[in-house]
Amino acid sequence: MRVLSGIKPSGELHIGNYFGAIKQLVEFINTTDDEVIVMIADLHAITVYQDPQYLKERIYELAALYFASGIDYNKAIVFVQSDNPDHPYLAWLFDTVTPYGWLTRMTQFKDKRQKLKNYGDIVSVGLFNYPVLMAADILIYDTDLVPVGEDQVQHVELTRDIAKRFNKLYGDTFKVPEYKINKTTARIMDLQVPTRKMSKSEESTLGCVFMLDPIDVIVQKFKKAVTDSGHEIKFDKQNKPGISNLMAILSAASGKSLKQIEEEYEGVSYARFKQDVAEAVVEVLRPIQRKAKEFLADPSQVDAILHEGAERARELSYPKLLEVLNKMGLYHHG
Ligand code: TYM
């Protein structure tokens, strides 16, 4: 089976990215013989303006965090999206089979467009078109499974629709992939506004725990996390969004089930509970931070890994691209 996922290097990585996406990938690599492809989605990042220097730093940082989190680059193919031009090429071909109306329904686009408008920024065609590029990322490798957080599910569903539509128009060409979310951590919420998804693009960072935040900052952010009225530690997303989110984080960080946590924390104060959540997260992040810093200190090693990854990726994607060009009646020198 082939598994693929990616993250945009458009800001600093947070624990939502880690528990929602990276951890799932690490588990695939460690527990299965599946072929895993891990992408640094820089072409997606630029759908909103990125300072070039900042972007380059984030690309290295994301690579370092992937490796430090346990993405074994000897087993998985890890590469930067812009290092494989087959993706945007296929995206253009998909543009021609994707109905405009499908894209107007994408909720992430609608949310982001609103935010950009509020800031007075432009809404690029690339932002609108972004899910088609994501479909190309996935379908060009005949991917079977895409582990993601909940906010990407609609894009994988669109990918399935594009695959089916292409197959119908030009004959059976693409596998129709499935997505996989981790039920507990598919949507880690903001610590300050627990009804809103934790996100690297919010103005206030107090509710967002970054993977490279200094340890004391992480502890402070959990200490200040918004809780709910009452004093019970009980999983109830509707009525106790703050506590439920912290429980999901503790569960992911410690491996304990939600039920176990409920039992263990019966009668325990919110303050003490938050302290324990912080400790569990610090325990996960401390070794990752240490390893990431080692990789960041040696960019030439990171370059070598990414270079090899891109070569392996292109070996897989190019024959597929040729097959598509052929099927569509386009011209190329074999
Ligand atoms: P991106 O960079 O926004 O997010 C990367 C991954 O992190 C997950 N995620 C979360 N999970 C749980 N709780 C949260 N608060 C949270 N925030 C983010 C996302 O669901 C995602 O899995 N378009 C993608 C990148 C991409 C991609 C792909 C993914 C490009 N091509 C092909 C899969 C397959 C994106 O912007 O993710």
Side-chain angles (χ1 to χ4, degrees):
M1 197 163 76
R2 195 171 277 166
V3 176
L4 176 142
S5 199
I7 298 182
K8 287 193 301 281
S10 52
E12 287 155 60
L13 252 65
H14 53 73
I15 58 171
N17 300 130
Y18 178 74
F19 290 122
I22 298 180
K23 202 163 167 242
Q24 288 201 72
L25 287 169
V26 173
E27 274 160 18
F28 272 110
I29 294 170
N30 290 342
T31 61
T32 68
D33 287 329
D34 295 340
E35 188 174 18
V36 181
I37 304 179
V38 184
M39 227 177 44
I40 296 176
D42 58 346
L43 295 175
H44 279 94
I46 55 168
T47 54
V48 174
Y49 174 78
Q50 303 290 324
D51 174 78
Q53 185 58 34
Y54 179 82
L55 177 61
K56 197 148 256 162
E57 284 165 16
R58 296 286 83 69
I59 290 171
Y60 280 92
E61 193 175 280
L62 177 49
L65 281 170
Y66 271 151
F67 304 148
S69 300
I71 304 266
D72 179 347
Y73 46 85
N74 291 311
K75 280 184 165 172
I77 298 178
V78 186
F79 72 104
V80 185
Q81 188 184 25
S82 59
D83 223 2
N84 186 355
D86 296 347
H87 296 222
Y89 194 158
L90 181 61
W92 171 256
L93 304 176
F94 281 165
D95 271 343
T96 66
V97 304
T98 307
Y100 173 83
W102 287 3
L103 291 179
T104 59
R105 284 196 285 275
M106 294 295 113
T107 53
Q108 198 178 65
F109 171 69
K110 288 191 251 183
D111 291 349
K112 286 199 173 170
R113 177 181 55 184
Q114 196 49 51
K115 260 193 203 152
L116 287 166
K117 277 189 177 161
N118 292 347
Y119 293 140
D121 283 337
I122 66 138
V123 180
S124 73
V125 176
L127 186 70
F128 178 67
N129 208 18
Y130 149 132
V132 179
L133 178 58
M134 185 159 155
D137 299 336
I138 296 168
L139 298 178
I140 204 162
Y141 298 105
D142 284 324
T143 302
D144 297 283
L145 197 67
V146 187
V148 280
E150 198 177 82
D151 61 349
Q152 294 299 326
V153 167
Q154 198 186 27
H155 294 158
V156 183
E157 277 166 353
L158 179 90
T159 299
R160 291 168 55 84
D161 289 340
I162 292 176
K164 286 184 204 156
R165 188 165 160 81
F166 189 98
N167 289 347
K168 203 165 137 212
L169 286 170
Y170 295 106
D172 212 12
T173 310
F174 292 108
K175 256 192 194 165
V176 180
E178 307 283 338
Y179 63 81
K180 184 170 178 295
I181 58 171
N182 177 311
K183 215 171 125 239
T184 319
T185 55
R187 196 173 170 81
I188 298 289
M189 308 307 268
D190 188 285
L191 299 187
Q192 289 297 310
V193 189
T195 47
R196 178 175 81 193
K197 180 187 76 171
M198 185 177 284
S199 164
K200 47 196 165 204
S201 57
E202 290 304 333
E203 323 76 78
S204 158
T205 55
L206 195 58
C208 184
V209 178
F210 295 111
M211 290 182 74
L212 289 175
D213 267 344
I215 301 299
D216 58 322
V217 173
I218 298 174
V219 172
Q220 278 305 313
K221 283 181 177 175
F222 279 106
K223 199 171 173 187
K224 293 195 175 130
V226 165
T227 46
D228 314 293
S229 55
H231 45 259
E232 250 186 320
I233 293 166
K234 205 167 157 275
F235 194 76
D236 177 354
K237 273 189 184 169
Q238 202 68 31
N239 300 307
K240 289 177 143 310
I243 288 297
S244 301
N245 187 40
L246 291 168
M247 285 179 71
I249 294 170
L250 179 57
S251 168
S254 66
K256 290 176 187 162
S257 70
L258 295 172
K259 190 150 179 29
Q260 254 174 307
I261 294 170
E262 272 180 5
E263 282 165 11
E264 199 175 308
Y265 285 90
E266 213 186 307
V268 174
S269 73
Y270 281 171
R272 171 67 210 292
F273 171 63
K274 288 199 283 185
Q275 224 174 349
D276 283 8
V277 181
E279 253 169 50
V281 170
V282 165
E283 202 144 304
V284 171
L285 291 184
R286 203 195 293 272
I288 295 178
Q289 292 190 351
R290 187 174 39 76
K291 284 186 212 142
K293 279 173 192 151
E294 286 169 18
F295 281 105
L296 283 170
D298 189 359
S300 60
Q301 187 199 1
V302 173
D303 274 333
I305 298 167
L306 295 177
H307 181 79
E308 204 213 309
E311 283 194 342
R312 288 166 71 195
R314 289 176 81 163
E315 269 166 36
L316 297 175
S317 63
Y318 191 60
K320 193 78 196 178
L321 181 64
L322 291 186
E323 182 190 344
V324 176
L325 292 170
N326 251 324
K327 289 216 162 124
M328 295 181 84
L330 294 158
Y331 178 80
H332 62 88
H333 298 281

